Amino acid sequence: MTQPSDPALAFPFLGGRPCLDFVATLGKRHATPVERLPDPGALARWIAEAGLSAEDGPLPVTARDLTEARTLREAVHRVVRSAMAGQEPDADDVRLVNEFAARPDLAPQLGPRRWTARHPARAALATVARDAVLLVGGPLLERVKKCGNPECSLLFLDDSQARRRRWCSMERCGNLAKVAGYRSRHRAAPTR
């Protein structure tokens, strides 16, 4: 798989769950969105990098698969955000996620191939949808958080022992916040 020439299009796998990582394929939701799935090849790359590929070679992804993927991604995002806020998700979004989750998903395999599927791209999307259903309908939902960096829109599963994690990643956003706080404190400190 070839990497994108623009670093902003690299996939952040920081969510801790496939469905949260999939939602992150649209970055900077709070500002000017960054579409990390601009074409079918990018979706194939995400599926492979997420470890959801049932193919040994290049994954066949159609324009229809890409359209469905983006539609699913946005429905999952809205369902997760609604559930995080303790609100009832939109019925159309729930129906869409459930329809994808009901499709044949990736079948796990022993041996060199981790997965098998008759329609690999659709099966990967069904696997993502099932992950979203299990997350929203299960006890881990209360551990899903939005990154504390106002410049970041990523959602992540707080798997820290104390459940006080604030950043999608310490290397990505936590460090930036610490540096900004340090600089702010030192600018405001009286000079002697």
Side-chain angles (χ1 to χ4, degrees), residues 84-108:
M84 287 171 64
Q87 300 169 347
E88 197 64 34
D90 181 79
D92 288 335
D93 288 336
V94 169
R95 179 191 50 74
L96 183 80
V97 172
N98 284 337
E99 283 178 9
F100 272 89
R103 294 177 178 179
D105 68 345
L106 296 169

Side-chain angles (χ1 to χ4, degrees), residues 78-90:
R78 289 187 298 266
V79 166
V80 170
R81 290 303 302 249
S82 294
M84 287 171 64
Q87 300 169 347
E88 197 64 34
D90 181 79

Side-chain angles (χ1 to χ4, degrees), residues 11-12 20-27 34-37 46 73:
F11 301 122
L20 299 179
D21 289 336
F22 190 60
V23 165
T25 61
L26 183 67
V34 175
E35 178 60 73
R36 294 185 179 110
L37 298 177
W46 184 86
R73 175 188 66 198

Side-chain angles (χ1 to χ4, degrees), residues 54 57-58 80 123 137 150 153 164 169 180 183:
V80 170
S153 62
R164 290 188 293 207
S169 138
R183 288 180 180 158

Side-chain angles (χ1 to χ4, degrees), residues 170-192:
M170 198 59 209
E171 294 78 23
R172 181 185 168 109
C173 290
N175 193 42
L176 292 174
K178 284 187 170 194
V179 168
Y182 175 81
R183 288 180 180 158
S184 175
R185 285 188 304 276
H186 283 290
R187 269 188 238 123
T191 56
R192 296 182 195 206

Side-chain angles (χ1 to χ4, degrees), residues 9 11 19 21-27 29 33-47 61-79 92-93 96-97 100 103 121-122 124-126 128-129:
L9 298 179
F11 301 122
C19 65
D21 289 336
F22 190 60
V23 165
T25 61
L26 183 67
R29 290 173 178 274
V34 175
E35 178 60 73
R36 294 185 179 110
L37 298 177
D39 54 47
L43 176 57
R45 188 170 53 82
W46 184 86
I47 290 169
V61 175
T62 66
R64 177 181 169 202
D65 294 333
L66 178 62
T67 300
E68 287 186 350
R70 288 178 177 165
T71 302
L72 173 64
R73 175 188 66 198
E74 295 313 302
V76 168
H77 179 256
R78 289 187 298 266
V79 166
D92 288 335
D93 288 336
L96 183 80
V97 172
F100 272 89
R103 294 177 178 179
R122 290 185 192 157
L125 296 176
V128 167

